[in-house]
Amino acid sequence: MKSTDHERQAPVTPQSARLRNQFSVEAFGGGILKLADIDGDGEPELLILQSAGQLRCAFYTAPRLGLDECDRALYCLTAVRLDGTVLWQDGTPYDRPGIPFSSHGGSQMVAVDDIDGDGQTEVLIIRNEHLVILEGRTGKEQASVALPADNYATINTAQFGPPEKGRQILVKVNDQAYEPWEYSNPTIVYNADLSVYREPFGIRGAGHNMIARDFNGDGRDELLIGYSLLDHELNEIWSIDFGPDFDYVKEHADEIALAEVNDDGEMEIRYSGSKDFVASDLQGNLLWSTEAGHSQNSVQGPWGPGGEVRIIMNEKNQGLNGISTTGEHLWNRTDINGYARRDVCWARGDGQTHWVIFQAQRKPTLDLPYESDPAWSRDLWPRLMDGDGQLYDVFPWDESYTLPQGTIRCHRSYDAGYVYQTIVADLDGDGLDEVLVISRQWVWIFESPEAGE
């Protein structure tokens, strides 16, 4: 690793985690996850979706994706408490021993919100080409509407209309099949009663992410989508100008993130794009751009030697990059594959208190099918990372955590569940984060050794 910061202090080693709890999800485990209080008891529940995700679409028929009709027909949404108790289940769990189902994308296929303003939480889900509203407390279906395509894989909620009429639901396509731009990825917007607020519309560079937020304080949300900001009527307010050499047909934003990037007390926007990694202000002015092969997502936190903010930008199967808040490259690691996704508050005191969670992945394999090797599990087990890219093996390993052997039919083994996913949250409100490590078989909840002090 190469660093341009010559005043770095010796790295601080985070303390080893304690295992708070673990429980089995083998009967219904999947890779599309959501943590939220859905029944109003003040405690978060875990939503686990078994679905082919975007691969369900007829657009994805390549043999390397490894789907069959059993994968395409799969749907099961399970709400489980963090003691392992199943709250409710909608659908039928997958049951084909030794042949894990294939699934890709869909990380935002589940949304939780009080849509109709009745004070009760609803769960929004895409089920068999329908947008479905479920009662959060019971899982009972409240309403559904047929979607005009088979490839909707992202749900967001927003307040575009009058609050007394409820919130709006945004459902977005996750492919390149919409004219006039390949990655415009059209969005359809529904009202709380599932009437149409806005027919499908495309925004160039829309990619796979969007953020609804009231930026101007008028009580109505604006929408960050692609490299544009739209008003509550979904008219363009601004779009970033990348100059004449930018390919607006193919380039797109894989992730949009809001954060105070440059220490000016104002919120900025980080864009992980298919071409470069860039930052802008909330008026659409480009602050800086740094070269990237295909950035997928990013995370920032106070990981510098004196608590300065650092950014980690993750590239698609090309490693990780440490970046300053002015866009300067600090280091690059191509020797590991995966994503650093969430800041973790792991300690109290005046020293280093934050790290980032690193979730490893195996690179795609094109020789299919093949049998997975359980021995890979140890290398895939998540770790903490500091602002210099140094990894720390903090979460105690046990051989019982090993992923089972199975026939991998898709070229991305993590699409068959050969991965450990993570969720970071302060579950007990003590100011320290807990880390949920999740496979298709188990959930482990780890905490800092300072928890409870």
Side-chain angles (χ1 to χ4, degrees):
M1 293 182 293
K2 182 180 179 180
S3 174
T4 59
D5 189 334
H6 301 292
E7 299 180 356
R8 296 194 182 279
Q9 301 173 1
V12 176
T13 301
Q15 299 182 73
S16 293
R18 292 190 305 224
L19 179 63
R20 174 188 287 193
N21 188 27
Q22 69 181 72
F23 55 90
S24 173
V25 293
E26 188 167 10
F28 49 83
I32 302 174
L33 310 167
K34 188 80 171 181
L35 186 69
D37 180 8
I38 61 172
D39 61 359
D41 66 352
E43 300 290 336
E45 287 76 40
L46 182 63
L47 289 161
I48 302 176
L49 176 63
Q50 292 183 335
S51 167
Q54 72 187 70
L55 298 185
R56 181 184 176 85
C57 173
F59 182 81
Y60 296 96
T61 57
R64 68 191 179 94
L65 298 174
L67 270 75
D68 58 26
E69 288 308 309
C70 184
D71 297 292
R72 294 185 188 280
L74 177 61
Y75 167 82
C76 183
L77 179 65
T78 304
V80 58
R81 294 194 171 98
L82 295 187
D83 62 1
T85 303
V86 173
L87 183 61
W88 51 258
Q89 189 171 81
D90 184 49
T92 303
Y94 181 84
D95 183 18
R96 194 154 46 150
I99 308 176
F101 65 89
S102 299
S103 175
H104 183 72
S107 60
Q108 300 178 71
M109 280 180 69
V110 184
V112 175
D113 204 346
D114 178 6
I115 293 299
D116 53 13
D118 66 352
Q120 303 297 314
T121 299
E122 285 81 43
V123 175
L124 311 173
I125 184 68
I126 297 170
R127 184 183 71 192
N128 302 328
E129 289 74 58
H130 284 70
L131 170 62
V132 182
I133 301 177
L134 304 176
E135 184 180 75
R137 186 174 56 84
T138 65
K140 179 181 178 181
E141 181 177 322
Q142 292 185 334
S144 70
V145 64
L147 295 167
D150 67 351
N151 191 25
Y152 287 91
T154 302
I155 304 175
N156 268 28
T157 61
Q159 190 68 64
F160 292 143
E164 63 270 17
K165 293 187 177 181
R167 293 172 62 77
Q168 278 65 49
I169 306 166
L170 300 87
V171 189
K172 187 161 71 66
V173 170
N174 210 15
D175 68 26
Q176 307 98 292
Y178 190 80
E179 296 293 343
W181 309 291
E182 288 189 15
Y183 277 93
S184 65
N185 290 1
T187 300
I188 183 170
V189 185
Y190 294 95
N191 292 306
D193 62 1
L194 298 186
S195 61
V196 175
Y197 178 88
R198 173 70 184 269
E199 297 287 351
F201 67 97
I203 295 292
R204 61 184 183 180
H208 315 301
N209 192 218
M210 53 185 167
I211 294 176
R213 187 77 62 88
D214 181 8
F215 291 109
N216 61 12
D218 66 353
R220 309 283 185 96
D221 286 333
E222 288 74 48
L223 182 65
L224 282 169
I225 184 169
Y227 296 105
S228 301
L229 179 69
L230 311 184
D231 65 18
H232 66 271
E233 294 181 337
L234 302 170
N235 299 311
E236 183 180 295
I237 299 174
W238 54 254
S239 185
I240 297 176
D241 182 4
F242 290 103
D245 297 329
F246 191 79
D247 188 345
Y248 286 101
V249 174
K250 294 182 180 297
E251 305 304 344
H252 59 280
D254 274 303
E255 185 190 59
I256 307 168
L258 285 170
E260 185 183 337
V261 173
N262 58 6
D263 297 323
D264 62 355
E266 300 291 334
M267 199 71 74
E268 285 85 31
I269 311 169
R270 301 192 314 266
Y271 293 94
S272 298
S274 56
K275 183 176 186 293
D276 291 328
F277 182 71
V278 305
S280 82
D281 62 22
L282 292 182
Q283 289 71 49
N285 301 304
L286 187 63
L287 300 176
W288 50 259
S289 175
T290 188
E291 184 177 355
H294 190 157
S295 58
Q296 289 284 284
N297 46 66
S298 66
V299 63
Q300 72 178 56
W303 313 313
E308 305 92 336
V309 171
R310 293 285 187 264
I311 299 170
I312 296 178
M313 181 263 286
N314 305 285
E315 297 201 76
K316 187 175 184 178
N317 298 314
Q318 297 179 50
L320 288 77
N321 299 269
I323 297 175
S324 74
T325 56
T326 58
E328 176 191 14
H329 275 258
L330 302 174
W331 52 265
N332 170 248
R333 288 200 66 166
T334 58
D335 59 316
I336 55 176
N337 191 57
Y339 296 137
R341 296 299 298 269
R342 297 288 181 270
D343 176 51
V344 184
C345 182
W346 197 245
R348 298 186 177 95
D350 298 327
Q352 183 170 350
T353 57
H354 288 250
W355 283 264
V356 64
I357 192 80
F358 174 72
Q359 183 176 302
Q361 290 183 350
R362 290 186 58 80
K363 290 187 176 181
T365 301
L366 295 179
D367 295 328
L368 300 171
Y370 64 94
E371 292 299 306
S372 65
D373 186 347
W376 297 333
S377 302
R378 186 66 182 93
D379 291 332
L380 294 173
W381 189 244
R383 287 162 284 177
L384 292 186
M385 176 181 284
D386 64 19
D388 291 329
Q390 176 69 44
L391 288 168
Y392 300 91
D393 204 4
V394 168
F395 306 105
W397 169 260
D398 188 274
E399 290 301 321
S400 65
Y401 302 168
T402 300
L403 299 170
Q405 185 174 6
T407 301
I408 306 299
R409 298 167 290 143
C410 46
H411 78 301
R412 293 170 290 215
S413 62
Y414 51 84
D415 287 349
Y418 219 87
V419 68
Y420 298 98
Q421 299 199 75
T422 58
I423 295 177
V424 176
D426 181 1
L427 298 176
D428 50 17
D430 67 350
L432 296 173
D433 287 321
E434 283 71 47
V435 176
L436 283 70
V437 181
I438 305 169
S439 72
R440 287 190 181 178
Q441 294 76 38
W442 287 90
V443 174
W444 301 271
I445 303 176
F446 291 99
E447 64 183 6
S448 165
E450 295 185 22
E453 294 181 358

